[in-house]
Amino acid sequence: MSLLRVCSLAKCVGRRSLADVRRCFAERCQLCVSARSGAAGRISETPLYRQRRNVSTVFPKSEDTKKRVHEQSQLLDVLEARIQQLQSDVVLDVQHAKVQFIKAPSFGGGVSSGRTPKGSSKDKSDVSKSGQTVTKGASKSQPSRWMEKLSQEKKNKLKKQQHLQQKMQRIVKEKPLGQSKGSKSSLMATGTSHKTISSAAKKSKADMKLSDKIYAAASSTTAVTAATSAKAAVAPKAPKTKQKDSKSKVSDKEAAKRTTTEGKVKDEDLANVEELKKRLKQQGQDWTSLSTTDSPQDGSQGSLCGDIQLSIRSYLEACVFVGDIERSQSFLLSQHRVMSRRKYLTTDVYNIMMRVWAKRGMLNQIGRIFILLEEAGLQPNAGSYSAALECMGRQQNCSPKVILRCLNKMREDGLSVHDLFSQCVFRQDERDMLLRAIHTVKPDYEPSLSLNASQCSSPLVQDFYTKREHHAYPKLDFTQEELQERFKRQLSVEEACTVTIDSVEGLKPITENMAKMREMLADQRAQWHKVLLQALRESKMILAKTNTKDYKLNLYPYLCLLEDKEYVDIMIQSVTNMPPSGESLKILARDVGNRIYTKYCVRQKHQNQTVEKLGSIYDAYTDLLAKDTKVYNVLPREQWCKLEMEQHSGPTLQGAETTWPYILTLELGTFIVDIMVKNLKINSDILNPAYDRKLIPILYHMYTFRSTRQVGFIKPHPILTQMQQEAMETTLTFDSSVMPMLCPPVPWTSVKFGAYLLTPAKLMRTLDGAMQHEQLLEKCENLHPVFDSLNQLGNCAWRINKPILDIIISIFNERGSDKLDIPPPLSEAPKIPHFHPQDPTYTASEKAHMKREVINAKKKCSEMHSLRMDALYKLSIAHHMQDELFWFPHNMDFRGRTYPCPPYFNHLGSDVTRAMLVFAEGKPLGPKGLDWLKIHLVNLTGLKKRSSLQGRLEYANSIIEDILDSADDPLNGKKWWMEADEPWQALACCMEIANAVRSADPTEFISHFPVHQDGSCNGLQHYAALGRDVIGATSVNLVPCEVPQDVYSSVAQQVEELRARDAAKGLKIAQVLEGFISRKVVKQTVMTVVYGVTRYGGRLQIEKRLKEIDEFPKNHVWDASHYLVRLVFNGLKEMFTGTREIQDWLTESARLISKSGHTVEWVTPLGLPIIQPYHRTRNQVLKSTMQHINLQISHDTKERPDTVKQKNAFPPNFIHSLDSTHMMLTSLHCYSAGLTFVSVHDCFWTHALTVDTMNKICREQFVALHSQPILDELSNFLLHKYCSTIQTEAKTKKYQEYRRLLLLLGKVPQTGDFDLQQVKESTYFFC
């Protein structure tokens, strides 16, 4: 061990950088501790002190070595003092950095123990001043000279300080009394050295409160700054002449004035810091606990380390699942033996094997794993003791003394019996066996499970949860028996994991060629199935026998999770769904891996016996929803939790599955794709007998360029593509999660449980592999309002609007319609020109032109195929569900915005998709319902944006004949509906109005049609409310007006005025734009400016709109878009000054936060924690037999934040989190009022009967939301989150950045005089 220490000392002394000295000492000291104890320990002493102590105790007691130790100890003293003097940024960074373990270098044959033999020749070395290793007889270093130098520096510094103090006293005497009073606080500490201040701050650090630390830090900054400015004021020594003396006096006076001015500025900063101190003392809210917890980037071990831990756990669970216990046990032991791998093992990993041995009743094996835990320096947790007690419960004659000893040991570790039942996840009969063991020594014990009764602390929903006497939760229009039957149907769909449905293209008449191609494809698939089955089995045999290192992960267990046939079905499905242009290998592999994981999760739930328990609880849960049962005064989440608590025996429903890391999903998927590429072949003469017969691959692995990056691609052979296109097959196969649910979704009750019955679903959508969001959610104590809002949205039942569906399918199966957004078939695609690049008849320019034509034609074909297949999927799903009632389970993105889980067919889709959907439950129109239908129709046309509601109603009545004609003869009549902005929804509304008008009593007409109320530029509405901006609030209809204010038209009008002015001055582009500036041209840019669009993005938006205008000269598009985007941005800046101030404050706050090394976090007013996952990209290479896949990972918490993305994204993401909060509040209160409510972000839907009630709730909740001190609470949260670690070394750049952040976060933008209560009376706020 002494060799290690000598080596570390030699390397440290040889370093020139002090930062390197500290880092080297820290690493070497930690290495010594690690080698001696065999476990990871924290460094409790300073690295320099530990090194000095070690040096003084490990050398032989000879005179030479004692002298050398003394000299080196002196050197360390000098270095330590010098470090304190410099106080450099890099030293501060090293002080706070975690020390990483490194492998000990190999010395010769290696040493098994942690110590080095005394006679080792390695001891006979030293370090010269230059850092080179020399022999023992070489010249020695001279620490005495260094000590003298340090002493001389101290003397010089003391003289300078005394001289400075005298000079400052003379300046104060010469100043007027009033000035000296004002600057007293700035000059009082000028004689105190910076080192003294920082030392005092460090000494009292443990006893100071956070606010006091901030105050002390700011005070020390002021003192040092004053001293610095005073130094600048002191003139250099001059000859003793009168002229020079007078100049010196003048300069002294000017310096004094300058010092006074700067002192006043610093006093203002001190006052701001004092105000911050008061604010920080008043914190007592729930978010404080969130801010004091470690954020994912601080507390987690990074993406790579987390992936390794998940991979180990996933591998062990896969081995256990397939029954390969020997492989799992040897793998765990191999991981445990290798120190570099042991650090990735957690107690839960060891618990996996404990559960295996518990099932077999092998207590001795569990005891051995407890010993492994102790060796690894890990503490047993509740899961460990649960496994041990379960094992005892399975043994018939287990001694009560053994059980008592286990319970006593558990108590010593701070765990109770109650913790076992409340913290552990049980599978099969584990819980019952555990209870049997406890009953052996405690016969009367019963687990006391209670509902989590804690309510959300947000004042926005306190009344919602506590005052329920007037709530009228809606029932579904189904009997309990119907719901239970629907559950069984949905369960069978999810157990199969796939759904095969009829394609709407199958409705076409079958030609002879179509029948021939379908038969040929069926024959080929049967052959491919056999070939793939054989290839898979051979690959598994090879993997099973592969001699790899014990600790290396192997794919073999993952290839045994399912039946071989199921893997082959996944391969065939992937080939069938592949587009003609091919698919990226990374995307294809990810999809294949995810399909395998989904099937594995479903099988796990069967093996764990959770399916039976799920069915029992769901049957009881239907009692809450069904119309033929009693009325409950509880929410779906509360009822489900209550039922789970009542049926506590058996397995736990949630938390039993481990999420596979993204890298594992890709690796497994790539392996499967490789089998497909190598083994799937077809005869080359299958379509043309004239060709020579030979087997050719149907899939090709090739490379293409995406921008500047080379990407691996899997592309189908043209023969396969031609066969599939001509066959127009009658069926499509989807994953079950793509389809809407046939029964109400399982309510979200935790971060990991909700939505589908068996299919795994995420509460929060994240980037592949990002874990920080889930970690943050799991730390959050109460997400009940978020869960309840998602459950309310998911409980809305839907059905298909059959008349609209039939019309759309008829147009789709003919030739499509670009005007009506129905994509045409590929037969309408432009033909790809063929030419030979080597043909000498073409000139170079002609060849270049032909190449561009080919590229454009291929791009057009690819786009048309994508659009056609997207429409085919949506229409086929709608056709399959046309006689069903169905539900969309919901989840959310990291900002809190909600989305339906099924990706293709849902109400967030295009105009075509929305038109096909209506509510399953119908309600009478009532006295005002028909008027709302007519107003909604006019809104869909986009014709009367500036008209009042009464004006829109009158317009609808004036065109009633066109409305009825559209409903009666949509394709051959006047076709008025085709001119609307949203033609298909307009047609659906025409049909609903026609049916209502022609009914006996329109007020009693049962309507299923959803009426929309859309926010008026909702992002700007939130900004105007935050800033209480009167002008901005008026522009976006927060203020009551007789007619709606259209901000888009206002901006267009302002831009037109500026354009006319420039045109009059002779600006050419302004003259070209005459007559082309409209609301439509500027709308998208105005709408997205609030969401962070840049000038570049805005220019692209305007360019797109100008290209859509046929009359606009295309050669001026570039210049015109540049010109217009500048005018739009300038116009918005003038109209929304308060908005710009808040946006700038958010942007600058995010910039400084990310610059300090943190990602931006905040908490919504409903308590949802949000973190921006933008980090600097790191590359990770996945090596496979096919190719090396380069993964660009931008969410690794160990990488520094991406400052540009963090600052640009914070304002729009913050506003999105507010509009999602407003939507959730509205949904909760609509649910309590018995309304049907769904949303498309800032567009709210309900029945025509209840539009007025929804409008009232919507406005009340907006006012309630913005009545909260949102910006102040955000400021307080960010201060606690990012300014709690006080920097006291005022000369450092790091401190200056910290101080800027502190003052910026404490200075919330000022607000205007707008009265929020006016929103309640604003008709056009949402309309």
Side-chain angles (χ1 to χ4, degrees):
M1 186 57 67
S2 59
L3 275 178
L4 292 174
R5 290 175 177 145
V6 171
C7 176
S8 66
L9 178 62
K11 289 191 177 182
C12 287
V13 176
R15 294 281 193 271
R16 294 189 178 186
S17 166
L18 291 173
D20 291 340
V21 171
R22 293 184 70 93
R23 189 182 294 110
C24 180
F25 279 12
E27 290 173 348
R28 298 297 171 176
C29 290
Q30 185 62 52
L31 178 61
C32 298
V33 174
S34 175
R36 183 169 67 247
S37 65
R42 290 189 174 273
I43 300 178
S44 58
E45 304 164 344
T46 63
L48 288 170
Y49 178 79
R50 182 182 287 278
Q51 186 66 35
R52 186 160 64 244
R53 189 194 67 189
N54 291 340
V55 167
S56 65
T57 57
V58 299
F59 286 97
K61 298 297 182 180
S62 63
E63 291 299 321
D64 289 340
T65 51
K66 285 181 180 178
K67 188 175 181 180
R68 186 164 68 251
V69 168
H70 177 67
E71 292 169 350
Q72 290 167 344
S73 181
Q74 281 186 323
L75 171 59
L76 293 174
D77 286 333
V78 172
L79 292 173
E80 190 170 24
R82 191 62 174 160
I83 288 168
Q84 290 181 0
Q85 281 184 349
L86 293 178
Q87 297 294 339
S88 67
D89 282 345
V90 66
V91 174
L92 287 172
D93 290 339
V94 172
Q95 283 176 335
H96 295 295
K98 289 186 177 179
V99 178
Q100 303 292 328
F101 294 110
I102 59 172
K103 288 188 176 180
S106 176
F107 298 100
V111 183
S112 59
S113 69
R115 300 186 179 181
T116 308
K118 288 185 179 180
S120 173
S121 62
K122 299 287 188 294
D123 286 344
K124 299 179 181 180
S125 65
D126 205 344
V127 179
S128 67
K129 186 179 179 183
S130 63
Q132 297 173 344
T133 306
V134 295
T135 60
K136 189 176 180 181
S139 60
K140 299 179 181 179
S141 57
Q142 300 177 358
S144 58
R145 178 168 60 82
W146 294 336
M147 293 296 287
E148 289 172 3
K149 186 175 180 181
L150 181 64
S151 176
Q152 188 64 36
E153 282 188 3
K154 287 182 178 178
K155 288 179 182 177
N156 292 340
K157 188 173 181 181
L158 186 60
K159 286 181 180 179
K160 288 179 182 178
Q161 289 173 354
Q162 290 173 350
H163 177 70
L164 177 63
Q165 191 172 16
Q166 292 170 2
K167 200 74 175 175
M168 294 304 298
Q169 288 173 354
R170 189 168 72 248
I171 290 172
V172 172
K173 287 178 182 177
E174 291 175 357
K175 288 168 64 176
L177 184 62
Q179 285 188 5
S180 63
K181 261 186 181 180
S183 59
K184 184 177 179 182
S185 61
S186 302
L187 300 173
M188 60 184 293
T190 52
T192 307
S193 72
H194 169 62
K195 183 179 178 183
T196 306
I197 294 171
S198 62
S199 301
K202 286 179 180 178
K203 187 174 181 181
S204 59
K205 187 175 181 181
D207 300 324
M208 292 172 70
K209 293 181 180 178
L210 175 63
S211 53
D212 295 330
K213 288 179 183 178
I214 294 175
Y215 184 80
S219 302
S220 66
T221 315
T222 309
V224 173
T225 309
T228 307
S229 56
K231 272 187 180 180
V234 176
K237 291 183 179 179
K240 295 181 179 180
T241 61
K242 292 182 180 179
Q243 185 179 5
K244 298 279 185 180
D245 191 53
S246 62
K247 284 183 179 179
S248 176
K249 288 180 180 179
V250 171
S251 63
D252 285 349
K253 288 180 179 179
E254 290 175 354
K257 289 180 180 179
R258 192 161 56 248
T259 304
T260 305
T261 306
E262 291 178 357
K264 288 181 178 179
V265 173
K266 299 304 173 187
D267 284 344
E268 291 178 4
D269 286 349
L270 273 177
N272 291 335
V273 172
E274 183 66 27
E275 184 181 348
L276 289 175
K277 171 180 146 182
K278 292 178 181 178
R279 280 173 56 185
L280 291 170
K281 283 182 178 179
Q282 292 171 355
Q283 299 307 320
Q285 302 169 9
D286 282 354
W287 56 259
T288 306
S289 62
L290 282 170
S291 65
T292 55
T293 57
D294 290 336
S295 59
Q297 67 262 29
D298 299 328
S300 69
Q301 296 183 342
S303 175
L304 186 59
C305 181
D307 282 352
I308 294 173
Q309 288 179 338
L310 274 178
S311 296
I312 291 171
R313 185 166 177 172
S314 301
Y315 185 86
L316 276 174
E317 289 186 347
C319 291
V320 171
F321 180 81
V322 300
D324 197 346
I325 308 304
E326 183 181 349
R327 182 186 291 268
S328 59
Q329 177 76 352
S330 61
F331 175 75
L332 178 62
L333 291 176
S334 67
Q335 297 286 320
H336 179 84
R337 289 191 196 104
V338 181
M339 293 298 296
S340 61
R341 306 287 297 179
R342 186 188 291 182
K343 64 183 179 182
Y344 298 118
L345 300 181
T346 63
T347 304
D348 288 334
V349 171
Y350 290 93
N351 290 349
I352 294 172
M353 289 310 302
M354 284 195 196
R355 287 200 303 270
V356 173
W357 300 126
K359 295 278 188 304
R360 302 188 174 195
M362 301 178 72
L363 196 57
N364 58 332
Q365 291 286 0
I366 293 178
R368 289 173 185 169
I369 297 179
F370 268 89
I371 294 171
L372 296 181
L373 273 176
E374 189 175 353
E375 286 179 6
L378 297 171
Q379 283 287 337
N381 60 16
S384 311
Y385 288 110
S386 174
L389 290 167
E390 177 202 340
C391 183
M392 297 171 194
R394 291 187 188 278
Q395 294 179 344
Q396 296 297 327
N397 301 313
C398 182
S399 170
K401 291 182 179 178
V402 176
I403 299 174
L404 282 173
R405 193 158 61 242
C406 180
L407 291 175
N408 291 334
K409 176 63 178 168
M410 184 176 72
R411 197 177 300 112
E412 290 174 10
D413 286 342
L415 294 169
S416 66
V417 176
H418 174 73
D419 293 334
L420 300 182
F421 291 96
S422 61
Q423 297 177 15
C424 293
V425 174
F426 299 108
R427 299 163 180 81
Q428 300 174 5
D429 61 346
E430 290 174 357
R431 188 182 188 279
D432 301 331
M433 293 300 105
L434 169 63
L435 195 57
R436 178 191 290 180
I438 293 171
H439 281 167
T440 304
V441 294
K442 297 182 176 181
D444 299 329
Y445 176 80
E446 287 298 329
S448 56
L449 298 177
S450 59
L451 284 172
N452 183 9
S454 61
Q455 300 299 337
C456 181
S457 59
S458 172
L460 291 169
V461 289
Q462 278 182 350
D463 288 350
F464 175 80
Y465 286 107
T466 56
K467 300 177 180 178
R468 304 193 185 190
E469 57 273 11
H470 300 299
H471 287 190
Y473 302 129
K475 290 269 194 176
L476 297 179
D477 194 20
F478 300 92
T479 65
Q480 187 171 12
E481 186 178 350
E482 288 173 340
L483 290 174
Q484 290 171 352
E485 183 61 32
R486 287 179 166 277
F487 167 80
K488 293 175 183 176
R489 291 176 58 199
Q490 177 65 25
L491 187 65
S492 65
V493 169
E494 293 192 38
E495 284 175 332
C497 294
T498 56
V499 181
T500 300
I501 66 175
D502 291 332
S503 167
V504 292
E505 284 189 329
L507 302 177
K508 289 184 177 181
I510 300 176
T511 64
E512 184 179 346
N513 186 52
M514 286 168 61
K516 178 183 175 183
M517 289 300 168
R518 289 175 185 178
E519 185 179 351
M520 289 170 61
L521 274 176
D523 292 341
Q524 289 298 319
R525 284 179 184 141
Q527 294 178 24
W528 294 339
H529 198 281
K530 293 176 183 177
V531 171
L532 290 174
L533 199 60
Q534 181 65 25
L536 176 64
R537 287 170 179 166
E538 290 174 0
S539 299
K540 285 171 65 175
M541 288 175 63
I542 294 170
L543 278 178
K545 297 176 181 177
T546 302
N547 293 322
T548 57
K549 293 181 180 178
D550 287 337
Y551 61 82
K552 185 177 176 63
L553 293 159
N554 187 296
L555 285 178
Y556 177 72
Y558 300 107
L559 295 173
C560 301
L561 297 173
L562 313 176
E563 298 292 334
D564 291 345
K565 178 182 176 298
E566 294 180 274
Y567 290 101
V568 174
D569 289 341
I570 289 172
M571 295 187 219
I572 299 293
Q573 182 185 348
S574 300
V575 174
T576 305
N577 294 342
M578 190 175 298
S581 57
E583 187 64 272
S584 160
L585 173 60
K586 185 164 67 173
I587 294 174
L588 184 60
R590 181 201 65 192
D591 292 344
V592 169
N594 284 335
R595 288 190 181 110
I596 295 172
Y597 174 72
T598 300
K599 283 180 174 282
Y600 167 53
C601 286
V602 172
R603 291 194 65 181
Q604 264 188 315
K605 287 175 180 175
H606 274 288
Q607 189 185 71
N608 295 336
Q609 299 173 3
T610 57
V611 177
E612 294 82 357
K613 185 171 181 178
L614 177 72
S616 174
I617 292 178
Y618 197 95
D619 281 352
Y621 172 67
T622 56
D623 194 52
L624 173 78
L625 305 176
K627 64 182 180 181
D628 59 343
T629 56
K630 68 176 183 178
V631 176
Y632 287 82
N633 200 27
V634 294
L635 297 164
R637 171 188 54 81
E638 296 169 336
Q639 180 72 358
W640 187 278
C641 290
K642 179 185 175 185
L643 292 170
E644 256 193 278
M645 186 189 69
E646 291 172 355
Q647 302 185 30
H648 50 72
S649 63
T652 310
L653 289 183
Q654 45 191 300
E657 298 82 29
T658 298
T659 304
W660 282 358
Y662 178 54
I663 196 80
L664 168 61
T665 306
L666 273 186
E667 190 175 1
L668 179 58
T670 306
F671 183 86
I672 297 293
V673 173
D674 190 35
I675 293 177
M676 294 160 55
V677 171
K678 287 179 178 176
N679 294 280
L680 289 178
K681 299 185 186 305
I682 197 169
N683 286 325
S684 58
D685 65 343
I686 191 168
L687 294 181
N688 192 341
Y691 291 151
D692 293 335
R693 171 170 289 199
K694 61 179 180 181
L695 284 175
I696 57 173
I698 66 166
L699 298 177
Y700 286 90
H701 178 219
M702 55 185 293
Y703 292 91
T704 187
F705 280 93
R706 291 280 177 88
S707 184
T708 58
R709 297 179 60 236
Q710 195 177 25
V711 177
F713 237 68
I714 304 298
K715 189 168 183 178
H717 194 281
I719 290 177
L720 176 64
T721 302
Q722 183 180 345
M723 290 173 66
Q724 289 178 334
Q725 289 178 353
E726 292 182 8
M728 290 188 178
E729 292 183 284
T730 58
T731 60
L732 296 169
T733 300
F734 294 109
D735 298 329
S736 59
S737 58
V738 165
M739 303 297 291
M741 291 184 68
L742 298 173
C743 68
V746 173
W748 286 103
T749 56
S750 73
V751 175
K752 293 185 176 180
F753 186 76
Y756 295 103
L757 305 180
L758 302 178
T759 308
K762 285 185 175 181
L763 174 70
M764 186 171 278
R765 302 177 176 207
T766 58
L767 295 170
D768 289 322
M771 301 298 294
Q772 56 265 49
H773 305 285
E774 189 173 330
Q775 292 168 0
L776 208 57
L777 289 171
E778 287 176 353
K779 289 178 183 178
C780 194
E781 294 179 0
N782 197 315
L783 290 172
H784 292 170
V786 176
F787 293 153
D788 293 334
S789 177
L790 290 171
N791 295 336
Q792 184 275 323
L793 296 172
N795 271 346
C796 176
W798 299 85
R799 75 178 192 184
I800 297 296
N801 189 336
K802 290 184 186 180
I804 294 293
L805 175 64
D806 292 339
I807 296 171
I808 295 173
I809 290 176
S810 67
I811 296 175
F812 178 84
N813 279 335
E814 289 176 5
R815 298 181 64 181
S817 170
D818 287 331
K819 181 181 180 181
L820 296 175
D821 202 24
I822 308 295
L826 286 181
S827 58
E828 302 297 314
K831 300 299 180 184
I832 299 175
H834 296 284
F835 78 102
H836 298 288
Q838 286 78 27
D839 191 339
T841 59
Y842 292 111
T843 64
S845 61
E846 287 175 338
K847 287 180 180 179
H849 176 73
M850 292 293 288
K851 283 183 179 178
R852 283 195 299 271
E853 291 290 321
V854 170
I855 291 171
N856 291 335
K858 286 183 176 179
K859 183 180 178 183
K860 180 67 175 175
C861 287
S862 178
E863 289 174 353
M864 287 181 65
H865 179 269
S866 297
L867 293 171
R868 180 75 177 180
M869 294 308 294
D870 180 64
L872 175 65
Y873 291 166
K874 289 175 179 175
L875 293 176
S876 298
I877 293 172
H879 182 260
H880 179 72
M881 306 296 292
Q882 64 179 335
D883 296 320
E884 296 283 358
L885 303 180
F886 50 88
W887 288 260
F888 296 124
H890 278 63
N891 61 4
M892 59 186 172
D893 65 12
F894 75 91
R895 288 101 41 105
R897 281 198 147 191
T898 59
Y899 299 85
C901 295
Y904 296 127
F905 182 70
N906 58 63
H907 61 284
L908 259 69
S910 63
D911 171 51
V912 176
T913 314
R914 294 185 189 185
M916 292 187 288
L917 286 166
V918 292
F919 294 135
E921 183 184 2
K923 292 187 177 180
L925 285 179
K928 295 182 65 177
L930 182 58
D931 289 348
W932 274 118
L933 282 176
K934 293 176 180 178
I935 292 169
H936 176 55
L937 174 61
V938 176
N939 290 345
L940 291 170
T941 65
L943 296 175
K944 298 291 179 179
K945 292 287 186 180
R946 302 298 294 267
S947 300
S948 65
L949 291 184
Q950 185 60 34
R952 298 178 200 185
L953 181 59
E954 291 171 358
Y955 173 73
N957 289 328
S958 69
I959 57 167
I960 193 67
E961 290 184 7
D962 291 334
I963 294 172
L964 297 177
D965 175 76
S966 297
D968 295 337
D969 194 4
L971 298 181
N972 301 312
K974 298 178 182 178
K975 303 179 185 177
W976 170 84
W977 62 278
M978 291 186 183
E979 305 304 319
D981 284 354
E982 309 285 350
W984 289 107
Q985 291 178 81
L987 176 59
C989 195
C990 287
M991 292 181 174
E992 190 78 358
I993 291 172
N995 292 333
V997 168
R998 290 164 178 165
S999 66
D1001 182 0
T1003 61
E1004 297 298 323
F1005 175 76
I1006 303 299
S1007 173
H1008 297 261
F1009 198 82
V1011 175
H1012 309 172
Q1013 295 289 280
D1014 203 350
S1016 177
C1017 200
N1018 192 237
L1020 284 172
Q1021 287 180 328
H1022 283 285
Y1023 267 125
L1026 283 173
R1028 303 295 196 272
D1029 181 1
V1030 176
I1031 297 175
T1034 305
S1035 300
V1036 289
N1037 294 301
L1038 297 189
V1039 177
C1041 296
E1042 292 183 3
V1043 292
Q1045 303 298 305
D1046 184 19
V1047 65
Y1048 309 119
S1049 299
S1050 300
V1051 172
Q1053 183 179 345
Q1054 190 174 22
V1055 168
E1056 172 59 25
E1057 290 174 0
L1058 295 172
R1059 184 211 61 78
R1061 191 185 309 163
D1062 290 340
K1065 294 178 182 177
L1067 186 64
K1068 183 180 177 182
I1069 193 61
Q1071 294 168 348
V1072 170
L1073 278 165
E1074 184 176 358
F1076 292 107
I1077 295 176
S1078 64
R1079 180 183 188 273
K1080 187 174 182 180
V1081 169
V1082 303
K1083 177 180 177 179
Q1084 188 179 10
T1085 307
V1086 173
M1087 186 191 303
T1088 53
V1089 160
V1090 67
Y1091 295 126
V1093 74
T1094 60
R1095 292 197 178 221
Y1096 175 76
R1099 191 200 66 76
L1100 292 178
Q1101 292 169 346
I1102 292 174
E1103 178 184 297
K1104 188 177 180 181
R1105 297 286 86 81
L1106 291 175
K1107 284 181 178 179
E1108 292 172 355
I1109 303 173
D1110 295 333
E1111 297 81 11
F1112 189 80
K1114 298 298 183 279
N1115 58 320
H1116 289 291
V1117 166
W1118 175 269
D1119 293 333
S1121 60
H1122 266 285
Y1123 173 72
L1124 285 180
V1125 76
R1126 179 171 57 83
L1127 296 186
V1128 170
F1129 270 68
N1130 291 342
L1132 281 171
K1133 191 179 292 186
E1134 292 177 13
M1135 289 178 65
F1136 295 91
T1137 53
T1139 294
R1140 179 57 62 183
E1141 287 176 10
I1142 295 172
Q1143 201 168 19
D1144 290 344
W1145 181 73
L1146 293 172
T1147 302
E1148 184 64 11
S1149 298
R1151 188 185 72 82
L1152 292 178
I1153 288 169
S1154 57
K1155 205 173 176 185
S1156 69
H1158 299 89
T1159 50
V1160 181
E1161 290 182 41
W1162 69 97
V1163 179
T1164 70
L1166 276 183
L1168 178 67
I1170 295 172
I1171 180 171
Q1172 295 192 148
Y1174 313 123
H1175 293 263
R1176 292 182 183 175
T1177 303
R1178 74 168 169 86
N1179 291 325
Q1180 183 175 346
V1181 178
L1182 170 62
K1183 298 179 180 179
S1184 69
T1185 54
M1186 293 191 74
Q1187 70 171 65
H1188 289 181
I1189 300 177
N1190 185 25
L1191 305 175
Q1192 292 189 314
I1193 297 174
S1194 61
H1195 54 262
D1196 189 351
T1197 56
K1198 285 303 178 185
E1199 296 291 327
R1200 287 188 65 82
D1202 186 324
T1203 302
V1204 174
K1205 285 186 178 178
Q1206 289 283 343
K1207 74 181 183 67
N1208 288 342
F1210 185 33
N1213 285 342
F1214 181 71
I1215 294 300
H1216 278 313
S1217 72
L1218 288 184
D1219 72 41
S1220 75
T1221 301
H1222 176 224
M1223 187 283 298
M1224 288 181 178
L1225 288 170
T1226 305
S1227 76
L1228 290 175
H1229 287 83
C1230 283
Y1231 188 71
S1232 66
L1235 272 65
T1236 300
F1237 173 90
V1238 291
S1239 77
V1240 181
H1241 304 317
D1242 60 349
C1243 180
F1244 299 166
W1245 299 14
T1246 190
H1247 287 93
L1249 173 70
T1250 53
V1251 170
D1252 291 313
T1253 307
M1254 185 189 73
N1255 276 336
K1256 181 174 180 290
I1257 292 171
C1258 167
R1259 285 153 177 76
E1260 288 173 349
Q1261 295 312 309
F1262 185 87
V1263 172
L1265 171 63
H1266 284 283
S1267 296
Q1268 302 297 309
I1270 294 174
L1271 291 180
D1272 288 333
E1273 289 180 352
L1274 176 65
S1275 168
N1276 293 335
F1277 178 85
L1278 296 179
L1279 280 169
H1280 272 263
K1281 185 74 186 175
Y1282 303 109
C1283 298
S1284 57
T1285 303
I1286 306 303
Q1287 304 287 338
T1288 55
E1289 294 80 4
K1291 286 186 178 180
T1292 66
K1293 180 183 176 183
K1294 194 169 186 178
Y1295 174 78
Q1296 297 302 327
E1297 291 178 354
Y1298 159 80
R1299 188 169 171 277
R1300 279 201 298 272
L1301 176 61
L1302 177 70
L1303 292 173
L1304 176 68
L1305 295 181
K1307 190 176 181 181
V1308 178
Q1310 293 183 348
T1311 58
D1313 302 323
F1314 172 63
D1315 180 11
L1316 269 178
Q1317 297 300 320
Q1318 293 185 65
V1319 174
K1320 293 181 179 178
E1321 308 302 324
S1322 175
T1323 303
Y1324 304 104
F1325 165 63
F1326 266 62
C1327 69

